[in-house]
Every structure is written in C-alpha cells, then in structure tokens.
Amino acid sequence: MLKWCILRLYQVLALALCVSATDDFDWTKNERTSFYYGTFPTGFSWGAGSSAYQTEGAWNIDGKGMSIWDEFAHKKGKIHSNDTGDSSCEGYYKFKDDISLMKDMKMNHYRFSISWPRILPSGLKSEHINEKGIKYYNDLINMLLENKITPIVTLYHWDLPQVLQEKYGGWQNVSMVNYFNDFANLCFERFGNRVKYWITFNNPWSVAVEGYETGAHAPGLKLKGTGAYKAAHHIIKAHAKVWHTYDMQWRSKQKGLVGISLTADWGEPVDITNQRDIEAAERYIQFYLGWFATPLFNGDYPQVMKDYIGRKSGQQGLGASRLPVFSPQEKSYMKGTCDFLGLGHFTTRYITLKNYPSGIGDSYFADRDLAELVDPEWPDPGSEWLYSVPWGFRRLLNFVKTQYGNPMIYVTENGVSEKMLCTDLCDNWRMKYFKDYINEMLKAIKDGVNVKGYTAWSLLDNFEWDEGYSERFGLYYVDFRNKNKPRYPKASVQFYKRLISSNGFPNQREVESWKRKAVETCSSSNQLLAADPLIGHMEMVTEIVVPTVCTLCILLSAVFLMFLLRRRL
Ligand SMILES: *[C@@H]1O[C@H](CO)[C@@H](O)[C@H](O)[C@H]1NC(C)=O
Ligand SMILES: *[C@@H]1O[C@H](CO)[C@@H](O)[C@H](O)[C@H]1NC(C)=O
C-alpha cells in the first residue's frame, strides 16, 4: 500500500513535471498579429556584423598564417566560381572607411571576428605571437571606441589555423580545447581592457555539420553520422573552458561578458494540432539550437537527441551511441557558462514526421526522423534556402525564453541576400525583410523575451563561404570587380539608419516615409555604381597606360641620345 502510494506520488510528480515542461512553450498557438507600432527599450543596441575571413582579405600579409578556409577556397571546385577570400572587401586596409559608414548610420555596436591564424600563425600560443596581427585588431578596436561604437568580438568565426587541421584533425581532436583556450586567453589579455562582449563561437552547428559531416565547408570532411557530433562535443567543451578562464582570470578586472552565437531556423509543425508534427518540430529545434544551448544552459544534451541517436546507434549494432557522453563533472562544469546568448536567425521551415530506417544512410540528418517543407507562398528573394517568414523569429525567441530560463539575448545575425547579378541598389525586399523581422523581435520583447541588441547581417557584401561572391547580404554593395572594392549604400542603409534613430517604429506615416526617402537616394547611388566600370577603366589608364608611355619615352630618348652621340663620333 505504501509502495503504491509512493508510486502514485511519483506519477503525479512526473505528470506535474511533464505538464510544466509542455506548458513552457505553447506549440499549439501561433498568433500572427498585425504590424506593431512602437519603440524598443531605451539603451537597445543596434549594429551590423562581419567576420574576418569574409571581409579582411590580406590572407598572407604581415605574417598571417593559413586558415582552413584559405586552404579550402584555394582548392578548385569547392567554391562557387572558384572564388576565394584572398582579397575580399580588403577590410584589412579599409576598416577606417568602414567605421565611418557605421558612424554615419549611428550604430551602437559592430560585430567582427578575430582571425586566429592572423594572431597565432601556427595556431599555438607557445610558438609565435604575430604582433602585426595584434596591432591590426588594436587599431580597429581603438578606432571603434573613438567613434563610440561598442565592439562585439567573435573569437572563432570558422577560420581554424590550417596547421591544427593538418597535424591534429582540427575539431575532431579534443586537444583543440586547450589550443583554443590559449588563443582566447591571449585575446582577453591583449584586448579585454577595451572589449566587453565576447562571443566564443559563431554558429558551431555549421562548423560541425558542414565542416565535418557534409563537407560543404572547410575542412570539407564527410564523416557521416559521427564527425559532426564529435566536433560539436569538443566545441562545447572549448566554450565552457574559455568561459571559466574568463570568469577566473579576467572578469573581476575587465567586467565583460562571454557568450556564444548560435544560429537556428525556426521549425513550425505542419499541422499544429498533430502531436507527431509537434514532436518532429521540437526535434528539429533540439537538434539545431538545443544541441549546443542545452548543454551550456542546462548541463547536458537534449534528451531527445540522446534517445534518437542512441536508439539508432543500437540498431546499427554499435556498442555505444554516436553521440558522445559528458561525464557528471563535465556536466556541472558546462552548465551556466553563457553570460548571454547570441542568436543568429534567417528563416523558417515546416516540419513533419518522417522515419528514416537505420542502415547505410546514417547521418545527422537521418537521425532526426523528420522532413522539412516550405510554403511556396513564402517570398524567396536571395539564397535558395532563405525564405522570408518573419513570424518564425518571434516563435524562436519565445522558445529560447522558455527553454533556457529567459537568458539575455543579443541577435548576432539577421538579414537577407540577393542574387549575384542584381546590381540594383534599391533593395525593397531587404527593407521589407528588416522591417518585418525587426517588428517580430519587438513583439517578442513585448512577450517578455530579454533581447538587448540587434545585429544586421551584414555590413558589407562579402565572401559568402561556399557561395563565393554570388550571394550578397550587405547593407552596402561592394564592387568586387574593382580593385579598390568601393562600397555603395543600398536603400536599406537609409531605412536602417532611420529605424536606429527612432529606436523602433514610431507610427505608420513615418515608417512609410522612410521607405520613400530611401528609394529616392538609392537611385543616385545606382547611377554612381553604373559609372563604376568607367572609373575602373580610368584607373587602368593611370596604372598601366601611364607607366607604359613613360617607359617608352625613356627608351626612345635613350635611342635618340645614342643616335646623337654616334653622329658626333
Ligand atoms: C574551377 O576550376 C576548375 C579547375 O581548374 C575548372 O575545371 C572549373 O571549370 C572552374 N570553375 C569555374 C566556375 O570557373
Ligand atoms: C590530437 O592532438 C594531439 C596534439 O595535441 C596529437 O598528439 C594527437 O596525435 C592528435 N590525435 C589525432 C587522432 O590526430
């Protein structure tokens, strides 16, 4: 009888836990409300982002070592049009110009990344510190601060030193944890008196899945079903270690924050009343965002990942799960190691259950047992995968709030691309994307989500990884044909600038006037850009024709002189 009572008690408790867990995020209610006019909390931070390999260029300058992206992009057939980031936007030389662009837009922050091999060419702190690399980032940080722009600095935006990949297998090897910690510690030491916002990793999902599972990104490995889980495991450990290093050695002096930037699409159940669709959608999010966020906020992988990968590994006849396991010590070491969550978000999918029988096709994707669908009505302005679905952003933000205890959030990436051949600077679809996504973020803040800042992706058109220069995310258009890589404002620059100065959307009349004014100015920018090949041509005249003519003149005078001398003789 007592036994039965205790059992009942457990059941009731379990039920209560279950109820509160499902109570957390209401999958069955997707309110899509009309545009919300209003402003953001005072002190809300507006900015734009970039990353080292995508913008700096100068890939072999001033003692920089090779990264896995230098190596990968130099291989033919990996990148669209065999493009490389060798010169990209020449950001290494033009950062002062870029800071004036930001200043003109009255941005509060700028998010950029430090290239690990620019500072540690061999990857190892014990071997060689490249002071010229340090100086570049010092100059950049100082200039930002002089212009009252807060630097938000990413330590790892995908450019692992090539040596560490070649010699040790990169993120497949747990020794990256210590090497990365040494690099991060050096950055805290040299820059931490001025940098107060640190992001350890940018979008580790992509590093793990595209770097080590599909091979679409550097280092291009295809270790299906295991590579991504292993890489992610080491990345999570590395993040935790770096957070503890900061916490123990630097926090009391420098008073900054250390977070991570996770990118996730939203997954909406195809049928909001179907429990199996809801579960599939939740798996989609847990395998995406939860994979990294749950260990760092709650101390272990999401239960659903452990269940699914464990079961499938068993069916394959493996003795252990392909998902690595954290020890109890590691769990408590990891838990609570995010001072804030950086969130990157671009698009949404509809999700439904789809069973993948275990067997030859074992992979991260098959492990999830789901199918992704899109609504053909969704606008698809640029990149193939990027459908504009603003309401998904509010859903994702609310999900984060419920799952991880309402953490402080900085949106670290949000934006939309356009196709290569589009040289129209009047980017109406981007203005609409920003307007609607930022509005859904505002609604999420009204819902109680703790969003502190927003980072438009990206400041400039840049090297878009395996897509090369064929997809442009920039607020500013960069003319990559021209050696000087001139920047031209798209209409969205004017739009975003007005949004920043109003700290939101004051009223309908005003917001509509922004769009009108933005389109007026972009037509003149269009004319400038159209004249650009001409300017490029003129540069060719000065750089090639003038020296050639001069050389010819000198030669001719020499011949003439000789001729004169001969006649004298
Ligand atoms: C890339 O380089 C490879 C090898 O040189 C070549 O076969 C291929 O056509 C190139 N692709 C483009 C788009 O230029
Ligand atoms: C992992 O890295 C260490 C160096 O830190 C190296 O000695 C070891 O051989 C590497 N393991 C593999 C499998 O490459």
Side-chain angles (χ1 to χ4, degrees), residues 52-307:
Y53 186 71
Q54 289 179 284
T55 51
E56 283 177 2
W59 72 285
N60 58 355
I61 300 293
D62 290 345
K64 176 180 166 295
M66 287 268 279
S67 82
I68 54 174
W69 272 95
D70 291 313
E71 172 77 13
F72 191 69
H74 286 167
K75 286 185 191 150
K76 299 286 180 202
K78 298 289 183 191
I79 312 288
H80 186 280
S81 299
N82 294 327
D83 288 337
T84 74
D86 289 0
S87 61
S88 189
C89 307
E90 303 279 20
Y92 189 72
Y93 305 102
K94 296 182 71 116
F95 71 93
K96 287 184 182 151
D97 300 346
D98 293 337
I99 292 173
S100 37
L101 301 180
M102 295 177 225
K103 191 180 179 188
D104 177 61
M105 292 173 76
K106 299 223 165 50
M107 281 186 190
N108 308 110
H109 69 259
Y110 177 50
R111 178 183 173 219
F112 65 92
S113 80
I114 294 179
S115 159
W116 183 349
R118 194 179 289 291
I119 290 196
L120 299 175
S122 73
L124 304 187
K125 188 180 171 186
S126 55
E127 285 183 359
H128 171 57
I129 299 173
N130 181 28
E131 292 297 336
K132 284 186 175 166
I134 302 253
K135 180 179 184 305
Y136 166 69
Y137 293 109
N138 269 332
D139 292 347
L140 171 59
I141 291 163
N142 292 341
M143 180 114 189
L144 285 168
L145 292 173
E146 277 163 30
N147 288 284
K148 300 197 168 49
I149 299 168
T150 303
I152 297 185
V153 180
T154 310
L155 292 167
Y156 189 84
H157 206 124
W158 306 359
D159 44 0
L160 185 77
Q162 171 63 15
V163 185
L164 297 183
Q165 187 66 47
E166 257 170 43
K167 275 167 84 175
Y168 306 135
W171 290 106
Q172 292 301 295
N173 190 324
V174 72
S175 50
M176 290 311 109
V177 174
N178 285 335
Y179 298 148
F180 180 66
N181 185 60
D182 289 345
F183 162 62
N185 203 8
L186 177 65
C187 292
F188 298 151
E189 181 191 327
R190 298 298 190 91
F191 310 121
N193 58 342
R194 287 153 294 151
V195 174
K196 303 300 164 192
Y197 294 87
W198 294 101
I199 292 167
T200 52
F201 288 90
N202 177 71
N203 192 356
W205 180 92
S206 187
V207 175
V209 173
E210 296 179 289
Y212 295 89
E213 170 104 15
T214 69
H217 283 185
L221 298 177
K222 295 178 179 142
L223 309 167
K224 287 223 165 53
T226 57
Y229 297 132
K230 210 167 174 184
H233 200 67
H234 298 150
I235 287 172
I236 293 165
K237 284 187 180 182
H239 167 87
K241 177 142 194 172
V242 167
W243 185 89
H244 280 285
T245 296
Y246 190 80
D247 203 48
M248 281 170 33
Q249 295 187 33
W250 304 103
R251 190 187 296 279
S252 60
K253 255 178 289 176
Q254 299 184 345
K255 301 190 166 52
L257 302 172
V258 178
I260 191 167
S261 176
L262 304 179
T263 301
D265 299 343
W266 178 245
E268 182 73 5
V270 166
D271 177 358
I272 213 166
T273 64
N274 180 334
Q275 190 58 29
R276 294 198 312 177
D277 280 358
I278 291 177
E279 282 165 13
E282 172 145 19
R283 278 201 301 284
Y284 178 77
I285 309 280
Q286 296 295 4
F287 269 76
Y288 211 144
L289 179 73
W291 186 4
F292 299 92
T294 315
L296 300 179
F297 284 97
N298 303 340
D300 198 2
Y301 289 120
Q303 190 61 41
V304 73
M305 285 187 82
K306 294 199 283 186
D307 291 348

Side-chain angles (χ1 to χ4, degrees), residues 261-446:
S261 176
L262 304 179
T263 301
D265 299 343
W266 178 245
E268 182 73 5
V270 166
D271 177 358
I272 213 166
T273 64
N274 180 334
Q275 190 58 29
R276 294 198 312 177
D277 280 358
I278 291 177
E279 282 165 13
E282 172 145 19
R283 278 201 301 284
Y284 178 77
I285 309 280
Q286 296 295 4
F287 269 76
Y288 211 144
L289 179 73
W291 186 4
F292 299 92
T294 315
L296 300 179
F297 284 97
N298 303 340
D300 198 2
Y301 289 120
Q303 190 61 41
V304 73
M305 285 187 82
K306 294 199 283 186
D307 291 348
Y308 270 68
I309 303 163
R311 182 166 50 79
K312 284 173 180 253
S313 305
Q315 286 164 356
Q316 277 177 275
L318 300 175
S321 175
R322 285 182 276 106
L323 184 70
V325 176
F326 290 114
S327 71
Q329 291 85 343
E330 286 170 342
K331 287 178 190 174
S332 55
Y333 185 74
M334 274 177 336
K335 187 174 173 175
T337 57
C338 274
D339 300 323
F340 65 92
L341 177 65
L343 195 63
H345 175 70
F346 294 90
T347 190
T348 284
R349 293 287 180 273
Y350 277 119
I351 306 294
T352 189
L353 170 73
K354 181 183 175 190
N355 283 309
Y356 284 84
S358 109
I360 292 169
D362 288 306
S363 72
Y364 161 84
F365 294 99
D367 284 341
R368 305 175 304 170
D369 272 351
L370 57 85
E372 303 175 31
L373 306 165
V374 297
D375 182 340
E377 305 272 289
W378 287 344
D380 177 20
S383 307
E384 209 182 322
W385 52 271
L386 209 172
Y387 296 84
S388 174
V389 193
W391 53 260
F393 195 18
R394 183 184 183 185
R395 296 278 271 168
L396 177 68
L397 287 165
N398 271 286
F399 182 85
V400 167
K401 174 185 158 216
T402 59
Q403 293 278 307
Y404 313 117
N406 201 11
M408 182 198 292
I409 297 175
Y410 277 83
V411 174
T412 41
E413 292 187 358
N414 176 242
V416 66
S417 54
E418 69 234 24
K419 296 267 155 61
M420 169 172 53
L421 297 174
C422 184
T423 47
D424 188 357
L425 299 173
C426 302
D427 53 350
N428 278 303
W429 71 94
R430 185 174 286 104
M431 286 192 279
K432 180 158 176 49
Y433 181 99
F434 279 135
K435 175 171 165 247
D436 292 342
Y437 269 76
I438 291 171
N439 199 247
E440 292 296 320
M441 176 174 72
L442 179 57
K443 290 178 192 171
I445 291 174
K446 301 289 168 197

